Amino acid sequence: MSGKTTRDHIVEEADQLFYQRGYEHTSFSDIAETMQISRGNFYYHFRTKDEILDAVLGYRLANTRAMLDRWEAEGGHPADRIRSFIHILITNRAKIMLYGCPVGSLCNELAKLDHGAQAQANEIFTLFRGWLRRQFALLGRKADADALAMHLLARSQGVATLANAFRDEGFIRREAEQMCNWLDAQCTGKRRTK
Amino acid sequence: MSGKTTRDHIVEEADQLFYQRGYEHTSFSDIAETMQISRGNFYYHFRTKDEILDAVLGYRLANTRAMLDRWEAEGGHPADRIRSFIHILITNRAKIMLYGCPVGSLCNELAKLDHGAQAQANEIFTLFRGWLRRQFALLGRKADADALAMHLLARSQGVATLANAFRDEGFIRREAEQMCNWLDAQCTGKRRTK
């Protein structure tokens, strides 16, 4: 159990259910039922699905932050770090083909529900955006670093959506390679080929 | 009422509700209640939400086909037709910022629900893909026409997802312009700048 609390286990379980089935389709009872604990114990930790969502979003944000910190520490050159970002499409391809991107799909679902947690969910995108922006600035592209960050985020999101619809691993690999080539072109110091 | 039947009205209403609120979050009763008709009349047309979904997907497919035929007839040059595709991001920007792309978001939701209508929903993507592939082939890019079609579809989807999260119209316009520039680069007959 590696020091994890019951609350941690509930959050991890809900995180997967929200991702795999969608937030709306996952009921409070669904989450409670997958846990091998008493109802009383479950309710002690969470009283509503919104409370669980709040905890899941905090969990995802913390995980994303830790991942970005790791890429930053491991990648000596900003371009290597950005390549780590591009490669999550390949690393997570099996789940992406089944369920799409966990960030994009949840943000879109919460927007349709006009849910109060939209801003919190979008923070994960903002985290990626700020991190990518910083890497592009370090590459000497300070003036358009934010536009480059948004461009790459969008390409990554689009690949996830179509990979999910067509279940096409070759497509993911091809697009990831093109993104890396695009990145190389940005590193040459020239204005980007639009 | 311009010759529309009650059934047409139900399908149009459901189409909007599925898009704006999501399929799962829209109940059979929600749709029935927005129509100013008796329950008996409503049930005469549809008995389940799945039946309504089936009709909505048929409606969307027919609308998409008509739109692509129109672009084909109006655009003398294949590049003009592809520009029409890129520009739907701008034409539909207000709804995209609120709800994302109707095609991408429904396909993703049905994938998470592991819904039987997934293949039917994906047909709309397949329609766009085949149409774009044909235009790229006409541009003399037969060998990689499908990859170019998928690339452009993905970019368009990614822009929709991020425009929805950040509600940023300037971003949509910037990315649409970049896609048009990318298209111009494909038209020069050179291999694409990856």
Side-chain angles (χ1 to χ4, degrees):
Chain A
M1 287 289 183
S2 67
K4 281 181 187 166
T5 65
T6 300
R7 192 178 188 280
D8 294 337
H9 284 291
I10 296 172
V11 171
E12 286 176 15
E13 188 65 34
D15 174 48
Q16 286 305 304
L17 290 174
F18 291 164
Y19 177 36
Q20 295 174 11
R21 303 183 188 175
Y23 172 73
E24 181 70 9
H25 188 58
T26 306
S27 70
F28 188 77
S29 303
D30 286 341
I31 305 165
E33 277 158 23
T34 57
M35 303 297 300
Q36 301 292 324
I37 58 174
S38 73
R39 277 290 170 131
N41 194 358
F42 190 86
Y43 280 101
Y44 169 78
H45 294 287
F46 296 104
R47 287 175 181 273
T48 66
K49 196 168 78 162
D50 278 357
E51 281 181 16
I52 302 179
L53 176 63
D54 184 74
V56 165
L57 291 172
Y59 171 74
R60 288 191 182 186
L61 202 62
N63 280 353
T64 304
R65 200 168 274 132
M67 182 176 69
L68 295 175
D69 286 349
R70 202 169 58 241
W71 291 346
E72 186 121 9
E74 289 169 2
H77 195 274
D80 294 329
R81 299 172 191 159
I82 297 172
R83 264 180 227 111
S84 295
F85 168 78
I86 294 169
H87 282 138
I88 41 173
L89 282 171
I90 294 172
T91 309
N92 297 338
R93 65 192 182 279
K95 287 200 161 185
I96 287 171
M97 286 191 284
L98 285 171
Y99 316 114
C101 168
V103 188
S105 57
L106 184 59
C107 284
N108 183 240
E109 188 181 1
L110 295 179
K112 285 181 196 283
L113 298 174
D114 201 16
H115 195 286
Q118 274 175 86
Q120 202 187 341
N122 289 344
E123 269 178 44
I124 302 173
F125 269 141
T126 303
L127 194 61
F128 277 112
R129 178 183 185 168
W131 186 88
L132 285 168
R133 184 171 55 220
R134 198 147 42 83
Q135 308 311 323
F136 280 113
L138 288 169
L139 283 176
R141 299 295 298 265
K142 202 167 178 179
D144 57 353
D146 190 58
L148 294 170
M150 284 291 280
H151 176 80
L152 193 58
L153 260 183
R155 282 176 69 163
S156 171
Q157 282 299 309
V159 171
T161 302
L162 286 195
N164 177 231
F166 291 108
R167 312 269 157 119
D168 184 344
E169 185 175 329
F171 164 71
I172 299 178
R173 292 187 182 277
R174 225 166 32 238
E175 285 287 326
E177 191 191 334
Q178 282 189 32
M179 280 184 237
C180 287
N181 292 341
W182 170 86
L183 174 63
D184 290 343
Q186 309 312 310
C187 296
T188 60
K190 301 178 302 193
R191 295 292 303 165
R192 72 178 172 285
T193 50
K194 279 187 178 177
Chain B
M1 290 287 180
S2 67
K4 281 183 189 166
T5 64
T6 301
R7 192 179 188 281
D8 294 337
H9 284 290
I10 295 172
V11 171
E12 287 177 15
E13 189 64 35
D15 174 48
Q16 286 305 304
L17 290 173
F18 290 163
Y19 177 35
Q20 295 174 11
R21 302 183 187 176
Y23 173 72
E24 181 70 9
H25 188 58
T26 305
S27 70
F28 188 77
S29 303
D30 287 341
I31 305 165
E33 276 158 23
T34 58
M35 303 297 300
Q36 301 291 322
I37 57 173
S38 71
R39 278 290 170 129
N41 194 358
F42 190 86
Y43 280 100
Y44 169 76
H45 294 287
F46 295 103
R47 288 174 181 273
T48 65
K49 196 168 78 162
D50 279 355
E51 281 182 15
I52 303 179
L53 176 63
D54 184 72
V56 165
L57 291 173
Y59 171 74
R60 288 190 182 187
L61 203 61
N63 279 353
T64 304
R65 201 167 274 134
M67 181 175 70
L68 295 176
D69 287 349
R70 202 167 58 243
W71 290 346
E72 186 120 9
E74 288 169 2
H77 195 274
D80 294 329
R81 300 174 191 159
I82 297 172
R83 264 179 227 110
S84 296
F85 167 78
I86 294 169
H87 282 139
I88 41 172
L89 281 171
I90 295 172
T91 309
N92 297 339
R93 65 191 181 281
K95 287 201 160 184
I96 287 171
M97 286 191 284
L98 285 172
Y99 316 113
C101 168
V103 188
S105 57
L106 184 59
C107 285
N108 183 240
E109 188 182 1
L110 295 179
K112 284 181 197 283
L113 297 175
D114 201 15
H115 195 287
Q118 274 175 85
Q120 202 188 341
N122 289 344
E123 270 179 42
I124 303 174
F125 269 140
T126 302
L127 194 62
F128 276 111
R129 178 182 185 168
W131 186 88
L132 286 169
R133 183 172 54 220
R134 199 146 42 82
Q135 308 310 322
F136 280 113
L138 288 169
L139 283 176
R141 298 295 296 265
K142 202 167 179 180
D144 58 354
D146 189 58
L148 293 170
M150 284 291 281
H151 176 80
L152 193 58
L153 260 183
R155 281 176 70 162
S156 171
Q157 282 299 308
V159 170
T161 301
L162 285 194
N164 178 231
F166 290 109
R167 311 271 158 119
D168 184 345
E169 185 175 329
F171 164 70
I172 299 179
R173 293 188 183 276
R174 224 166 34 237
E175 285 287 326
E177 192 192 333
Q178 282 189 32
M179 280 184 239
C180 287
N181 293 342
W182 170 85
L183 174 64
D184 290 342
Q186 308 313 310
C187 296
T188 60
K190 301 177 303 191
R191 296 293 303 167
R192 70 181 174 285
T193 51
K194 280 190 178 176

